[in-house]
């Protein structure tokens, strides 16, 4: 009996490793396809603009959307880094373990947002909630008199109570308005392309300004 239990546990461990390996291969492939969005952030000269886009994006999907929003708003893009969640199996395991946490080690921890009127905050959804690095960034920063727009990409859905809690945190740090925007990418291995992602975003939110979308479903 013990022998069969050991065999089953060994088989389960192999299965979990195969799943993690496949997922990380997909994430690395996505990162390679999406990494061009990062190249556009460097080497730009300071401009007098009123919109900031702050994004955490592990494999680059939400980063593509951040770059798209920046192009539409002529905004400055700031990337949040979290070494613990780098691509690869260890990073994937850490992301799954911490998905419901509001605490993370991030860089930069703070950004001077004084010059901006509108701040977009972006991350993927992990287990139905914005990723921990974005929660940490909001906790660290001042949004006094800012219009804040949370934007997310996700595989399945988000849960509204997490979005409500995020809004409460943003408003407690001074935000005067809050909007949630999101695009469903689809499940691993069958996700929409970057072009489809941005097109879907435009179809939902290209209205000449920031407004709250009432009655949207989780798709």
């Amino acid at each position: 009996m013990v022998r069969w239990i050991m065999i089953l546990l060994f088989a389960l461990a192999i299965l979990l490793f195969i799943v993690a390996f496949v997922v990380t291969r997909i994430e690395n492939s996505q990162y390679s396809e999406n990494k061009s969005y990062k190249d556009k952030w460097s080497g730009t000269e300071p401009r007098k603009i009123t919109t900031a886009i702050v994004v955490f994006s592990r494999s680059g999907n939400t980063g593509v959307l951040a770059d798209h929003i920046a192009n539409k708003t002529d905004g400055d893009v700031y990337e949040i880094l979290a070494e613990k969640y780098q691509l690869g199996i260890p990073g994937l395991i850490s992301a799954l373990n911490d998905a419901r946490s509001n605490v993370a080690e991030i860089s930069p921890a703070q950004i001077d947002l004084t010059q901006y009127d509108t701040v977009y905050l972006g991350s993927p959804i992990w287990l139905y909630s914005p990723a921990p690095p974005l929660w940490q960034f909001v906790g660290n920063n001042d949004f006094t008199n800012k219009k804040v727009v949370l934007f997310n990409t996700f595989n399945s859905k988000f849960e509204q109570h997490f979005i409500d809690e995020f809004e409460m945190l943003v408003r407690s740090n001074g935000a005067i308005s809050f909007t949630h925007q999101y695009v469903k990418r689809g499940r691993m291995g069958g996700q929409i392309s970057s072009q489809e992602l941005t097109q879907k975003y435009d179809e939902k939110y290209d209205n000449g300004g920031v407004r709250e979308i009432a009655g949207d479903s989780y798709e």
Side-chain angles (χ1 to χ4, degrees):
M1 183 66 178
V2 174
R3 179 171 175 270
W4 281 108
I5 292 175
M6 293 298 295
I7 291 173
L8 286 173
L9 289 175
F10 181 71
L12 179 61
I14 292 177
L15 178 61
L16 290 174
F17 176 81
I18 292 173
V19 170
F21 178 76
V22 171
V23 170
T24 54
R25 286 291 299 271
I26 292 172
E27 288 181 330
N28 278 285
S29 176
Q30 290 175 338
Y31 183 83
S32 297
E33 293 175 2
N34 294 331
K35 75 183 186 67
S36 60
Y37 82 90
K38 291 186 176 183
D39 299 335
K40 299 180 181 180
W41 299 356
S42 59
T44 57
E45 296 182 0
R47 295 159 291 150
K48 292 183 178 180
I49 56 178
T50 59
T51 301
I53 300 93
V54 181
V55 62
F56 168 74
S57 184
R58 186 165 181 266
S59 59
N61 290 302
T62 314
V64 166
L65 189 54
D67 186 50
H68 182 66
I69 293 170
N71 288 335
K72 293 172 69 69
T73 62
D74 193 29
D76 284 333
V77 181
Y78 299 92
E79 182 185 16
I80 302 172
L81 301 176
E83 185 175 353
K84 186 177 182 181
Y85 308 123
Q86 288 183 348
L87 292 180
I89 292 177
L92 176 63
I93 293 172
S94 294
L96 292 172
N97 286 338
D98 298 350
R100 293 289 176 82
S101 174
N102 296 353
V103 178
E105 293 185 9
I106 60 172
S107 177
Q110 293 181 312
I111 294 173
D112 184 1
L113 300 171
T114 306
Q115 75 180 78
Y116 304 108
D117 298 328
T118 301
V119 179
Y120 284 79
L121 300 170
S123 82
I125 294 290
W126 290 357
L127 292 184
Y128 316 131
S129 174
L134 200 63
W135 287 91
Q136 184 68 63
F137 180 84
V138 171
N140 291 351
N141 285 269
D142 181 17
F143 298 93
T144 300
N145 296 326
K146 311 298 181 190
K147 298 176 182 178
V148 171
V149 183
L150 170 65
F151 66 98
N152 300 118
T153 64
F154 55 91
N155 294 338
S156 58
K157 68 175 186 176
F158 59 87
E159 290 186 358
Q160 186 60 43
H161 70 92
F162 290 122
I163 305 304
D164 294 342
E165 291 170 14
F166 191 90
E167 177 180 1
M168 289 176 60
L169 180 59
V170 168
R171 288 188 182 274
S172 71
N173 283 1
I176 58 174
S177 71
F178 177 85
T179 305
H180 185 208
Q181 300 180 346
Y182 53 88
V183 178
K184 183 177 179 179
R185 301 190 312 263
R187 297 287 186 178
M188 280 287 185
Q191 294 183 351
I192 59 177
S193 67
S194 296
Q195 183 177 1
E196 290 171 321
L197 180 73
T198 55
Q199 286 176 344
K200 200 169 185 180
Y201 176 86
D202 288 344
E203 289 171 1
K204 293 183 70 173
Y205 303 113
D206 193 4
N207 49 33
V210 175
R211 67 178 176 90
E212 191 158 2
I213 305 299
D216 273 351
S217 69
Y218 290 179
E219 299 184 16

